[in-house]
Amino acid sequence: MNEQIEQHHIYSLSLTVGTHSARHVRRIIHRLCGDWSVPQELADDMALGVTELLSNVVRHVPGARAEVRLHHDTEAGYVRAEVTDDGPQLADGTRELSDPYAEHGRGLAIVAAVATKWGVQPLAVGKMVWFECAPGDSPSGSA
């Protein structure tokens, strides 16, 4: 579903994610961002952040169901991503890596690195992890 409401673009996608979903989701995000005239750097950051969050869904959420919502405020220029799942585990991004060479465990650190701000919102069932990227802003970590 792709809608335009005044000065906002909104896209949402419900899916069951698997190990090969990242490539397809990145393609969708880059296409949408191109259609919305989002700068390439922000599109790259959005694609990386969303695919990191979806990889967490694959690893930690039984059934691997998720909803992805992308918002673009055309006036302010920022892009927001929300990944919602029904997994019981709330991520906080504060876990230190015991093995700096580990293959997993960096997803939220990567989101924090590309985002202007981000957070986790508990829901009645599950959670929503969100982040925003804006042109010219430096990442500020968890909000």
Side-chain angles (χ1 to χ4, degrees):
M1 176 174 74
N2 193 4
E3 328 170 6
Q4 184 171 358
I5 302 171
E6 295 176 11
Q7 307 205 332
H8 296 276
H9 296 110
I10 300 170
Y11 176 83
S12 66
L13 171 68
S14 294
L15 70 160
T16 301
V17 288
T19 56
H20 300 291
S21 298
R23 173 181 53 169
H24 303 295
V25 171
R26 279 194 300 269
R27 188 175 296 137
I28 291 168
I29 291 171
H30 278 105
R31 176 64 190 257
L32 284 171
C33 287
D35 289 350
W36 296 345
S37 300
V38 172
Q40 183 67 42
E41 180 179 295
L42 289 184
D44 292 343
D45 289 347
M46 293 301 292
L48 178 59
V50 169
T51 56
E52 287 298 325
L53 294 177
L54 290 177
S55 72
N56 286 345
V57 172
V58 170
R59 283 188 199 97
H60 303 294
V61 177
R65 294 281 310 151
E67 181 175 340
V68 176
R69 284 183 60 91
L70 302 174
H71 307 259
H72 176 228
D73 183 313
T74 57
E75 190 170 311
Y78 76 87
V79 186
R80 177 182 171 105
E82 300 171 352
V83 176
T84 304
D85 65 60
D86 60 0
Q89 187 176 14
L90 284 180
D92 66 7
T94 60
R95 180 175 63 95
E96 285 200 29
L97 292 173
S98 58
D99 178 1
Y101 302 105
E103 292 182 26
H104 304 291
R106 292 179 178 75
L108 288 176
I110 291 171
V111 169
V114 301
T116 312
K117 55 186 171 179
W118 70 277
V120 180
Q121 179 180 342
L123 304 173
V125 175
K127 66 193 163 298
M128 176 181 57
V129 183
W130 62 271
F131 68 95
E132 294 178 1
C133 296
D137 287 344
S138 60
S140 64
S142 180

